[in-house]
Amino acid sequence: MNFELTEQSIQFTFGNKEYKSGLKNRSFKNVSKDAQADALQNVGKAIASLQDDSLDDAVLIQRRRIVEAAE
């Protein structure tokens, strides 16, 4: 059996004293399967700067299907 990547999303955690707990999570779907970590980090930093937030965390979320191995 093997895994086949079916979709990816990214979750950014932004920090700002204005948020109730000081943190806010935002998720974005349809992340390219060949997206590079530094590119995703740069996107998070850009969004954070537009909101006057800090980028506290970035998590890549992957969904993978289990498929039978090709013979």
Side-chain angles (χ1 to χ4, degrees):
M1 300 299 243
N2 290 322
F3 290 107
E4 175 185 53
L5 181 60
T6 58
E7 72 178 66
Q8 293 190 133
S9 60
I10 184 83
Q11 177 181 301
F12 296 117
T13 301
F14 299 106
N16 188 315
K17 63 182 179 186
E18 307 259 334
Y19 301 137
K20 187 174 182 178
S21 69
L23 299 172
K24 178 168 262 192
N25 292 324
R26 294 185 188 250
S27 296
F28 298 89
K29 295 181 179 184
N30 301 319
V31 172
S32 172
K33 293 178 182 175
D34 59 347
Q36 299 296 312
D38 57 339
L40 293 172
Q41 187 79 3
N42 289 338
V43 168
K45 287 179 181 178
I47 295 169
S49 72
L50 292 171
Q51 304 177 133
D52 281 335
D53 292 348
S54 62
L55 177 63
D56 292 0
D57 198 14
V59 177
L60 182 66
I61 302 163
Q62 296 182 324
R63 294 190 71 173
R64 294 175 178 259
R65 176 178 310 151
I66 298 173
V67 295
E68 292 202 30
E71 293 183 31

